[in-house]
Amino acid sequence: MTHSLEVSVESHGKTILVSAESYEAKFVIDEPFAWTRQRCDFAAFAFLPIAMRLKRPLRIVDRGDTVTAKNAMRLSQVWQTWHPTLFHSIDVGFAEETPMPIGSGELVLFSGGVDSTFNLLNKRLRNEEQPTALTVHGFDYKFNDEVRFQALLEKTQPFCSHVAKQRIIAHTNIYDLYNRLGINAGLGHGFALASCLFLFSDQFARGEISADYSRAQDFLVFPWGT
């Protein structure tokens, strides 16, 4: 019988450590925002591709929603169909299962690229309620590349101030783990982005990733992380 990959979560100030055996990921949230530590649904999505790659059930030794666990399991089944040489369907569970509270407002990922810029501007032009923007460091700019990431923040802040109610900055080195297991950025970024959104799942009612392809174009780049 295959042993579960047991994932634990610890927080030290604004740094969150997610670890299982020799694998450890770091998430850092800039002040004044913070992770509430109420639940750990985000860890399921962060470590899902790792467990799928290792062919081991995933168990988060903390609190999460049964809906999260079921969706993660369904996602693993989809990825096994798409990429059976790399990923395998697995079971996912939490040590303590509790329903996710519903927050308010919308959290939209904003990288400063064309897709997320258009999406936020379009929301603004339609006079919708301004969402909160979430910019994540550790994807286009590596986790230790502070200089270029800070330049990106400074360049995009005037636009972000115009289209978003507020902006959250998060940092993660999760890509380092994915690379160790041969999971490239094109396949892993959807899991990483979902985990960053779910860090704030109890504070917002909705999280959003801006589309980079139309549904028809998806068939040309298949399989793709988002």
Side-chain angles (χ1 to χ4, degrees):
M1 183 176 181
T2 305
H3 295 294
S4 297
L5 186 67
E6 302 273 334
V7 177
S8 62
V9 181
E10 299 178 2
S11 59
H12 305 277
K14 62 180 183 178
T15 300
I16 306 157
L17 297 177
V18 188
S19 59
E21 299 172 1
S22 64
Y23 304 99
E24 182 178 271
K26 182 183 294 185
F27 293 82
V28 182
I29 303 169
D30 284 356
E31 297 177 351
F33 300 95
W35 178 53
T36 64
R37 192 63 175 86
Q38 294 297 312
R39 54 194 314 105
C40 293
D41 298 74
F42 81 97
F45 289 109
F47 269 68
L48 182 61
I50 296 172
M52 291 194 302
R53 185 77 172 108
L54 298 174
K55 306 180 187 180
R56 294 173 62 181
L58 179 62
R59 183 173 182 270
I60 311 301
V61 190
D62 217 301
R63 183 182 305 165
D65 197 327
T66 55
V67 175
T68 299
K70 290 178 181 178
N71 285 341
M73 285 189 288
R74 290 176 62 191
L75 187 57
S76 75
Q77 293 167 359
V78 170
W79 273 103
Q80 177 178 273
T81 302
W82 283 350
H83 211 316
T85 60
L86 185 70
F87 292 131
H88 300 267
S89 62
I90 59 169
D91 291 329
V92 180
F94 294 93
E96 182 181 350
E97 297 179 340
T98 60
M100 186 181 300
I102 299 176
S104 60
E106 185 178 38
L107 182 62
V108 179
L109 284 161
F110 174 64
S111 66
V114 173
D115 304 314
S116 59
T117 297
F118 173 81
N119 186 27
L120 282 173
L121 181 59
N122 194 39
K123 290 177 182 290
R124 179 65 168 166
L125 293 175
R126 294 201 308 264
N127 295 318
E128 295 183 355
E129 180 182 352
Q130 286 181 288
T132 295
L134 171 61
T135 300
V136 183
H137 174 206
F139 301 154
D140 295 330
Y141 300 104
K142 294 185 181 300
F143 184 71
N144 58 1
D145 189 351
E146 287 285 350
V147 174
R148 291 201 301 160
F149 182 70
Q150 287 301 318
L152 171 72
L153 292 183
E154 293 173 8
K155 181 179 180 179
T156 57
Q157 188 54 40
F159 171 80
C160 201
S161 298
H162 177 67
V163 299
K165 179 165 52 178
Q166 55 188 351
R167 188 181 199 180
I168 300 175
I169 309 298
H171 313 258
T172 181
N173 66 345
I174 190 68
Y175 265 7
D176 294 341
L177 296 189
Y178 294 169
N179 288 332
R180 281 175 55 187
L181 292 163
I183 303 168
N184 65 40
L187 301 181
H189 71 275
F191 301 103
L193 291 173
S195 66
C196 290
L197 284 172
F198 268 82
L199 277 166
F200 308 96
S201 59
D202 59 335
Q203 301 178 52
F204 294 90
R206 172 182 167 86
E208 186 171 284
I209 299 175
S210 303
D212 45 8
Y213 293 106
S214 68
R215 292 191 177 185
Q217 289 172 323
D218 274 334
F219 288 99
L220 300 177
V221 296
F222 167 90
W224 184 243
T226 48

